[in-house]
Amino acid sequence: QVKLVESGGGSVQAGGSLRLSCTTSAYTFSPNYIGWFRQFPGKEREGVATLYTVEGTTYYADSVKGRFTISQDNAKKTMYLQMDSLKPEDSAMYYCAADVGGPSSKIMPAIEALSWQFWVYYWGQGTQVTVSS
């Protein structure tokens, strides 16, 4: 069973930075897709950034392009979300996610890669990010 554990959330002033981390203690963890989603109160969970690990292709929501960066450290079985130039509208609960992995995978268009319904199998527990103006 794969359990994803997040850390790094917190409160920051507008213009500041945070780095979210998501790791697993699973013995084997080789997802094809990893990503970060966020959820505002009363809203659907939305895609922030996704990484197709097979080819290194990244996808970003328009609202975070140029400010957020997704990455991974395979040796540490950890994924990261570097968030710079944070804005109050970035305040949300952030969740890391991964697919089930496997030998067969295909690259998805951005609209699918940023939609959890198409690939997410595992979720982290969520970490709160609050950006004050």
Side-chain angles (χ1 to χ4, degrees), residues 37-105:
F37 293 76
R38 64 186 180 186
Q39 191 166 19
F40 304 105
K43 300 291 187 180
E44 285 281 319
R45 202 166 291 189
E46 65 178 40
V48 175
T50 300
L51 171 63
Y52 180 49
T53 66
V54 177
E55 298 182 0
T57 305
T58 55
Y59 309 82
Y60 293 97
D62 287 343
S63 59
V64 306
K65 278 180 183 175
R67 300 188 298 122
F68 290 13
T69 304
I70 186 172
S71 63
Q72 64 170 345
D73 183 328
N74 286 330
K76 296 181 180 179
K77 293 183 286 186
T78 301
M79 67 177 89
Y80 303 98
L81 184 67
Q82 178 66 41
M83 305 187 293
D84 299 319
S85 302
L86 282 160
K87 304 175 181 180
E89 50 264 42
D90 293 319
S91 298
M93 185 71 77
Y94 284 72
Y95 298 88
C96 63
D99 72 350
V100 70
S104 60
S105 67

Side-chain angles (χ1 to χ4, degrees), residues 17-49:
S17 298
L18 284 173
R19 188 177 79 158
L20 305 182
S21 299
C22 175
T23 191
T24 181
S25 59
Y27 184 75
T28 58
F29 183 59
S30 299
N32 296 317
Y33 281 90
I34 59 175
W36 294 89
F37 293 76
R38 64 186 180 186
Q39 191 166 19
F40 304 105
K43 300 291 187 180
E44 285 281 319
R45 202 166 291 189
E46 65 178 40
V48 175

